[in-house]
Amino acid sequence: MKNIVIFASGTGSNAENIIYYFKNNTSKSVVGVFSNNSNAKVIEKAKNLGVQTVTFNKDELYGDFVLSKIQELNPDLIVLAGFLLKFPEPIIAAFPNKIINIHPALLPKYGGKGMYGKHVHQAVLDNQETETGITIHYVNEQYDEGGIIFQKSVSISDCTTSDAIANKVHELEHRYFPEVISKILQ
């Protein structure tokens, strides 16, 4: 069995989608959801789907607590799905090329510190882009600079709001993120 651990900070729509995708899979399974926000909706969603959850604060993330909890679950892949904090170097070092992230734009455009969620979509809108998309990439010590695994674009020429852009990007995330995870774990 290949074990997947998910990190998320908010509502967890991607995490929930990934859990459902692997729910009845006989070779891959989500074994834990970690969050830095004890009030995040992702915690409730994971518990309702029978997945173990771990909440932590910033000190615990950058200390030994989170790393030890991850090691207990022995993941084959760590998936950042809307996780907003910079991932600690000791965890990256302990799991080389086993940590991936999804970014709601076509990197290298609209990446880096502070570029997440609605901030990305607003920047895309403000710059009058005609397309955007998703990038799934490996996590390294810098925001959004790890090796690109997969990108998919979508036309946004008909979008007049950042919410409209977000809806199109979410469709791509939900369709492709679980598939890419599955391919990585083959």
Side-chain angles (χ1 to χ4, degrees), residues 83-95:
F83 185 67
L84 302 181
L85 298 177
K86 189 169 185 186
F87 222 60
E89 290 184 29
I91 299 175
I92 295 168
F95 295 93

Side-chain angles (χ1 to χ4, degrees), residues 86-182:
K86 189 169 185 186
F87 222 60
E89 290 184 29
I91 299 175
I92 295 168
F95 295 93
N97 297 317
K98 289 187 174 185
I99 307 170
I100 65 170
N101 182 43
I102 190 163
H103 187 75
L106 297 170
L107 292 173
K109 286 183 169 183
Y110 307 106
K113 186 176 172 97
M115 293 303 282
Y116 60 90
K118 65 182 179 180
H119 304 290
V120 172
H121 306 311
Q122 190 60 52
V124 166
L125 182 68
D126 291 346
N127 286 316
Q128 301 175 343
E129 298 283 356
T130 57
E131 72 172 14
T132 190
I134 59 169
T135 303
I136 299 169
H137 63 92
Y138 287 105
V139 173
N140 66 13
E141 294 79 17
Q142 306 301 320
Y143 283 111
D144 303 323
E145 291 185 13
I148 292 174
I149 301 163
F150 176 86
Q151 287 187 307
K152 187 70 176 176
S153 63
V154 64
S155 171
I156 54 166
S157 54
D158 61 334
C159 294
T160 57
T161 67
S162 60
D163 286 342
I165 294 170
N167 289 337
K168 285 193 171 194
V169 169
H170 281 133
E171 285 179 27
L172 293 179
E173 290 173 346
H174 290 175
R175 177 170 177 199
Y176 293 104
F177 204 11
E179 290 177 10
V180 171
I181 292 166
S182 189

